[in-house]
Amino acid sequence: MACRHALLIYCVNVFTIVLVSLQTLFFRDGERRVDYVMVYQVYEDEEQEWRDKREQKRQDFIDRLKKEGLEFEEDRESFDKKSIFIKVHAPWKTLTREAEALLLKMPAEKNDFVRKTTWEKMIENMRCSVKSPFDHGLDAMQEYISLPFTKADEKKNKFIGVENHDTFFTPAQRSRMVNSILSRTPYSRDSTKVGYERLIGNKSFEAAYPLHEGKCDVPQDEEQNSRSVLRHVWARWGAWYKRQPLDYIRHYFGEKIGIYFCWLGVYTTFLWPAAAVGLLVFIIGCGLSGDDIPSQDICNDVNETVFYMCPPCDVSCDFFFLREACYYAQAAFLFDNGATVFFAAFMCVWAVFFLEYWKRTEIRQAYRWDVLGYEEQEEQPRAVFEATVKTKKENPVTGRLESYVPSFVKSGKLCRAVAVVIFFIMIVVAAVISIVVYRVAITAAMNKNDAVRPYSSITSSLTSAIIQVAIITILDKVYQKVAVVLTDWEMHRTQTEHEDSFTFKMFLFQFVNYYSSVFYIAFFKGKFDGYPYNYNELAGARLDQCGAGGCMIELTQQLAIIMVGKQVVNNCVELIIPKLKAWWRRRDTKDEDPDDEKCIQRWEEDYDLADLNQYGLFAEYLEMVIQYGFITLFVAAFPLAPLFALLNNIIEIRLDAYKFITTLRRPVAVRAQDIGIWYSILDGVAKLSVVTNAFIIAVTSEFIPRLLYIYAESPDGSLRGYVNYTLAYAPILEDFDGGSVHNAIYDTVAVHQLKVPGGDELYNIHGNTSSSTCRYRGFREPTDGSPTKFWWEYLTTALAFVIVFEVCLLSC
């Protein structure tokens, strides 16, 4: 009896939870579905005049929405005791009108046009008989042939399921149609003031959003909803190796988000071969490092006193032995060898194959989801565009008058917008240069004081890094505001054009923001510092030069720190920030009666979730495209970049899924046929990667100097003696007085008497035994510092390599 009683109580509780969950998706009558929710709060500490103005705007807006055919129900009971929820329902008549206006495509009949060969059918049967561990486990959705919805076809019952008014339109489609009405309806007599977004901006409303379809944490042995199905199958860490249920994602979130996850899945899949080859290249470097003669020469104790290096900076730096850079030299060879040159070419070709495969996948997916040609045939003008633009022009196809912006007005606005964007990019470049100047100046200033001289290097590095982060963060925030204002001012006709314009502006800025330091190390640092007696100075101090291990290892370190560090930080932010926002929104929520059986409503639970920012998927795409730049633009210096990108993306897919399902409000289901301007950006980065990798190999890497030395200078066709050949001797001014040598670099007297290992004579480049000098990296004459013949040969070979590399790969 006790077991039966417990089972009965359990069943009643489960039924109650399911019933309450369903009721929170409907009006109080239990029949009209909640298609949208608007939230506002009344601020008691606000002046009565402002409260009345906001109330008037809300009331006028709702009155106009009622004329559009929407129905409302207000709920003043909330856990936080201050939020008021307005539930919105669109009846059948309103939905059919909007569906016809939006050219919404609805299923007319099952798609049985796909014909398969006998071989394809046999393979499919084999796959069905053997369940793949990579399948998501959900049944395939039925594909339909769809037609634009019309009321005339509705009456003829041409659409599947049209007789059931409650389920014919999916919740995602219903919220999209209601959102269209909310976006275009004016809230005052001024017809240019339209849409709920402006009302949210002036605090008349706090938020507006469609509802999630129930809870996401429904136990698997209970009846599931669309949200909980995605939570169990897709948005969990244990499913990292499974395919994504793209049709279910599209059905719940819309085509735009579905295409993003489709692209992210294809990109991650393509990273597997890139990561495998990159890891293999790194392993080859590890295997060959023991036989690398230059590294052995540097690390050999016998040669310690032979390679006596000039100080890397003035005053505070000392002379040092090259052997101190032994570990850097060994580490540099792991990433700078012949295999990395092959890998750079491989990744450039990989980028081409990836983009071509994605283009094919994108079109196929757009066809399956019936969005092929959406931008040309279905996409409607933005509500703000129609309300603001007064010039009209007859559409030659439909014969209707439509709003349009003359071409000369567009051109003028575009030129001014480009000028503003270039101005801000120049500000970022100036900020980067100013930080370099600051670092040099502060180092020079501190070196003049004996008390703080030992701390000059760490102080300049730390303070410059803090200043750089502060400046870039401030400029980023300011530029985002400017980009939004500029894009709104340009008045684009469709939402796709609007987003593409904003995306391109922001990416140009972020490109300079993220890659400026890497470009500096790869192509500028140590290239213009001069040589002893003739160092180039800035603000009274020598320019930065690469360490004894070379610029390549510094570039590798910079890439590893920025790329891996950025990924870790972004993942933490994506996971933690939405939870903090939800906690902050719920901080005042109090349940005065613990025994109160009142269940929190669906609209209030969703209000506590974080909102997808106004830029939509921009942040998600930007993160991945910046990563794509790291694994293509500079892969010659860091072949492990694709491996780290793969590990990150395996986490990123499930993290984004978890975020959209559990921590974010449900976004409006937006249609899209492709990833927009991001494809053009990816294509541009892929082409630029050919140029950057060619110059990294030619200018920063040791590949060409080593190759040239083997075939042009080495007596035995090996790298024996290469290190000694690449180290130039600093010119000296000799004034022998007791064996001393005047070193004009520091205007001091220094004694440099180095004995050749195994001999008693002093090491001397000028043929006498009374003096010697320090060494530095470069191909220069010891007498006057002019370039040697080998330097000109190297320059010619490097330029030839760049041309051949680019021609071969860009022609692919």
Side-chain angles (χ1 to χ4, degrees):
M1 290 296 294
C3 293
R4 292 181 180 179
H5 181 67
L7 179 62
L8 178 64
I9 294 176
Y10 173 76
C11 294
V12 171
N13 289 337
V14 170
F15 176 76
T16 303
I17 292 173
V18 173
L19 181 62
V20 171
S21 178
L22 291 175
Q23 287 177 344
T24 58
L25 297 176
F26 292 86
F27 279 19
R28 295 189 188 95
D29 56 18
E31 297 180 357
R32 291 176 294 174
R33 185 182 183 91
V34 178
D35 297 316
Y36 225 87
V37 175
M38 297 186 293
V39 188
Y40 72 92
Q41 295 180 354
V42 177
Y43 298 94
E44 299 295 339
D45 56 346
E46 190 178 41
E47 295 182 5
Q48 186 65 35
E49 180 182 357
W50 287 105
R51 291 169 60 183
D52 293 341
K53 285 183 178 180
R54 292 196 175 100
E55 179 62 31
Q56 186 63 44
K57 289 178 181 178
R58 283 194 296 268
Q59 193 59 49
D60 290 345
F61 187 56
I62 292 175
D63 290 342
R64 288 179 168 84
L65 290 174
K66 288 179 178 178
K67 293 179 181 179
E68 292 286 340
L70 297 181
E71 299 176 357
F72 299 88
E73 184 177 82
E74 189 172 87
D75 188 350
R76 290 182 171 270
E77 295 183 5
S78 61
F79 269 55
D80 62 8
K81 309 301 182 183
K82 59 182 180 182
S83 298
I84 301 172
F85 298 88
I86 300 177
K87 295 168 283 184
V88 185
H89 170 76
W92 176 253
K93 181 179 179 181
T94 304
L95 290 175
T96 55
R97 184 196 69 209
E98 282 301 305
E100 188 170 12
L102 295 176
L103 302 176
L104 194 64
K105 291 185 176 180
M106 301 303 296
E109 59 179 297
K110 293 182 179 180
N111 186 359
D112 56 358
F113 288 171
V114 180
R115 297 180 179 179
K116 298 180 180 179
T117 63
T118 305
W119 177 253
E120 290 175 333
K121 290 180 179 179
M122 183 176 67
I123 294 178
E124 183 176 356
N125 291 334
M126 291 176 61
R127 292 180 59 185
C128 293
S129 59
V130 180
K131 186 176 180 181
S132 171
F134 304 107
D135 288 339
H136 48 66
L138 298 177
D139 295 332
M141 283 190 169
Q142 174 65 51
E143 295 186 21
Y144 296 94
I145 298 174
S146 59
L147 298 173
F149 182 86
T150 61
K151 293 182 180 179
D153 290 336
E154 174 211 345
K155 294 178 181 178
K156 299 177 183 179
N157 288 330
K158 283 190 174 182
F159 300 103
I160 297 177
V162 71
E163 65 279 356
N164 191 333
H165 294 178
D166 294 331
T167 60
F168 178 63
F169 295 110
T170 66
Q173 291 172 330
R174 296 174 68 99
S175 64
R176 179 190 167 208
M177 289 185 280
V178 173
N179 180 77
S180 176
I181 299 174
L182 297 178
S183 299
R184 70 166 185 262
T185 303
Y187 58 86
S188 71
R189 294 180 179 179
D190 186 354
S191 60
T192 62
K193 297 180 177 180
V194 298
Y196 68 93
E197 292 180 347
R198 294 188 64 172
L199 289 173
I200 293 176
N202 61 34
K203 292 298 182 180
S204 297
F205 286 104
E206 295 294 325
Y209 50 89
L211 292 179
H212 278 294
E213 297 179 27
K215 293 181 175 295
C216 64
D217 54 354
V218 178
Q220 295 189 3
D221 57 348
E222 297 179 11
E223 184 179 355
Q224 303 292 311
N225 56 65
S226 299
R227 185 187 183 191
S228 63
V229 168
L230 288 175
R231 175 69 177 93
H232 293 309
V233 174
W234 176 51
R236 63 184 182 90
W237 305 114
W240 66 269
Y241 61 93
K242 294 181 179 292
R243 297 186 182 95
Q244 300 182 86
L246 294 175
D247 289 339
Y248 287 81
I249 298 171
R250 171 245 184 172
H251 184 267
Y252 191 81
F253 289 110
E255 287 79 7
K256 189 170 187 177
I257 293 178
I259 287 177
Y260 163 72
F261 280 103
C262 179
W263 174 82
L264 184 56
V266 171
Y267 172 50
T268 303
T269 302
F270 260 75
L271 282 175
W272 281 98
V277 177
L279 181 60
L280 178 62
V281 167
F282 179 74
I283 293 173
I284 291 175
C286 294
L288 296 177
S289 60
D291 300 326
D292 182 45
I293 296 176
S295 299
Q296 293 174 357
D297 289 345
I298 293 174
C299 299
N300 196 336
D301 295 337
V302 177
N303 296 329
E304 178 175 6
T305 57
V306 176
F307 305 133
Y308 191 60
M309 307 300 293
C310 297
C313 64
D314 294 340
V315 184
S316 61
C317 297
D318 295 327
F319 296 88
F320 66 97
F321 293 107
L322 185 59
R323 189 181 181 280
E324 297 176 15
C326 172
Y327 296 113
Y328 286 101
Q330 292 174 336
F333 181 79
L334 302 180
F335 303 98
D336 185 9
N337 52 70
T340 57
V341 177
F342 157 77
F343 186 61
F346 169 83
M347 287 301 297
C348 292
V349 176
W350 172 91
V352 174
F353 275 92
F354 163 65
L355 292 176
E356 289 301 318
Y357 182 84
W358 166 247
K359 191 192 305 182
R360 181 170 175 262
T361 303
E362 185 179 62
I363 294 175
R364 184 174 64 248
Q365 205 68 24
Y367 171 77
R368 289 187 63 250
W369 290 348
D370 235 336
V371 289
L372 199 61
Y374 164 75
E375 295 176 8
E376 296 81 10
Q377 301 172 11
E378 301 178 46
E379 189 170 16
Q380 303 296 310
R382 297 166 60 234
V384 176
F385 178 85
E386 290 191 317
T388 307
V389 177
K390 301 302 181 182
T391 54
K392 303 289 183 180
K393 184 178 181 180
E394 183 179 349
N395 188 316
V397 178
T398 62
R400 295 183 299 180
L401 289 177
E402 296 181 354
S403 302
Y404 89 106
V405 177
S407 57
F408 70 90
V409 176
K410 287 183 179 179
S411 301
K413 289 186 175 183
L414 179 62
C415 292
R416 281 172 278 185
V418 169
V420 174
V421 172
I422 293 176
F423 171 74
F424 270 89
I425 291 177
M426 290 298 101
I427 290 179
V428 176
V429 174
V432 173
I433 296 175
S434 65
I435 291 170
V436 175
V437 174
Y438 164 81
R439 183 171 178 175
V440 172
I442 197 68
T443 302
M446 294 183 68
N447 283 337
K448 295 178 181 178
N449 190 324
D450 294 337
V452 296
R453 183 183 301 166
Y455 312 104
S456 61
S457 178
I458 188 172
T459 301
S460 62
S461 299
L462 182 61
T463 55
S464 62
I466 294 174
I467 294 174
Q468 182 176 7
V469 170
I471 291 177
I472 294 301
T473 301
I474 294 172
L475 288 177
D476 189 16
K477 297 296 183 183
V478 173
Y479 185 75
Q480 275 194 5
K481 302 293 184 183
V482 173
V484 170
V485 172
L486 276 178
T487 309
D488 291 340
W489 174 70
E490 290 169 357
M491 199 52 64
H492 295 281
R493 180 177 178 273
T494 64
Q495 186 65 24
T496 298
E497 295 174 354
H498 181 86
E499 291 178 357
D500 286 350
S501 178
F502 172 78
T503 297
F504 187 68
K505 293 185 185 72
M506 286 301 301
F507 178 76
L508 287 178
F509 178 85
Q510 298 293 353
F511 184 90
V512 178
N513 186 359
Y514 280 102
Y515 298 135
S516 57
S517 61
V518 183
F519 270 96
Y520 169 71
I521 295 175
F523 304 118
F524 297 100
K525 187 175 183 180
K527 306 300 187 296
F528 309 101
D529 56 337
Y531 58 93
Y533 294 105
N534 192 28
Y535 281 118
N536 296 318
E537 295 185 348
L538 183 65
R542 280 165 50 179
L543 293 177
D544 273 351
Q545 62 181 121
C546 298
C551 290
M552 196 68 167
I553 189 62
E554 290 192 25
L555 179 60
T556 302
Q557 290 174 332
Q558 186 78 358
L559 288 170
I561 292 172
I562 293 179
M563 182 180 175
V564 178
K566 172 183 169 297
Q567 291 177 349
V568 172
V569 171
N570 283 347
N571 287 338
C572 292
V573 168
E574 286 187 26
L575 183 63
I576 296 174
I577 294 299
K579 290 183 177 294
L580 290 178
K581 288 182 177 180
W583 170 82
W584 181 258
R585 198 183 299 278
R586 292 194 300 263
R587 70 192 188 283
D588 294 330
T589 300
K590 297 179 180 179
D591 191 356
E592 297 179 356
D593 186 2
D595 299 327
D596 188 2
E597 296 181 357
K598 175 183 178 296
C599 179
I600 186 170
Q601 304 295 319
R602 174 82 268 138
W603 47 83
E604 191 166 1
E605 283 191 5
D606 286 3
Y607 179 59
D608 289 338
L609 300 177
D611 190 20
L612 185 64
N613 61 61
Q614 59 177 320
Y615 311 116
L617 293 172
F618 171 78
E620 277 70 25
Y621 274 115
L622 178 65
E623 180 183 355
M624 291 295 101
V625 173
I626 292 295
Q627 179 200 90
Y628 176 83
F630 279 120
I631 69 171
T632 53
L633 293 173
F634 311 102
V635 73
F638 191 36
L640 290 178
L643 176 61
F644 286 108
L646 173 63
L647 296 176
N648 173 80
N649 287 9
I650 291 174
I651 299 174
E652 181 73 24
I653 291 177
R654 305 304 158 179
L655 181 61
D656 281 349
Y658 177 82
K659 180 176 65 175
F660 274 95
I661 290 293
T662 65
T663 63
L664 292 180
R665 296 173 190 157
R666 186 177 186 176
V668 177
V670 180
R671 286 171 71 81
Q673 70 181 52
D674 50 37
I675 61 175
I677 200 173
W678 288 112
Y679 180 86
S680 299
I681 292 174
L682 291 169
D683 187 49
V685 171
K687 289 181 171 62
L688 181 61
S689 68
V690 177
V691 179
T692 55
N693 282 295
F695 276 98
I696 287 175
I697 296 170
V699 176
T700 310
S701 171
E702 293 284 325
F703 175 73
I704 292 181
R706 290 187 176 199
L707 203 64
L708 191 60
Y709 176 81
I710 290 174
Y711 289 102
E713 301 295 336
S714 176
D716 57 357
S718 70
L719 287 172
R720 197 168 305 281
Y722 172 77
V723 175
N724 186 59
Y725 194 84
T726 59
L727 297 178
Y729 293 93
I732 60 173
L733 298 179
E734 299 180 354
D735 181 13
F736 301 110
D737 182 14
S740 65
V741 179
H742 291 276
N743 191 325
I745 301 176
Y746 306 102
D747 196 24
T748 60
V749 178
V751 178
H752 306 306
Q753 296 181 336
L754 306 179
K755 291 186 177 181
V756 179
D760 296 329
E761 291 187 356
L762 297 178
Y763 189 80
N764 182 1
I765 64 169
H766 295 299
N768 59 62
T769 59
S770 302
S771 65
S772 63
T773 184
C774 61
R775 313 286 294 272
Y776 67 98
R777 287 185 175 272
F779 302 108
R780 295 183 180 274
E781 298 290 351
T783 53
D784 56 2
S786 61
T788 62
K789 176 187 175 183
F790 184 85
W791 186 87
W792 294 107
E793 293 173 349
Y794 158 65
L795 180 62
T796 304
T797 306
L799 293 177
F801 171 83
V802 169
I803 294 173
V804 173
F805 191 87
E806 292 179 4
V807 169
C808 292
L809 293 179
L810 288 177
S811 61
C812 292

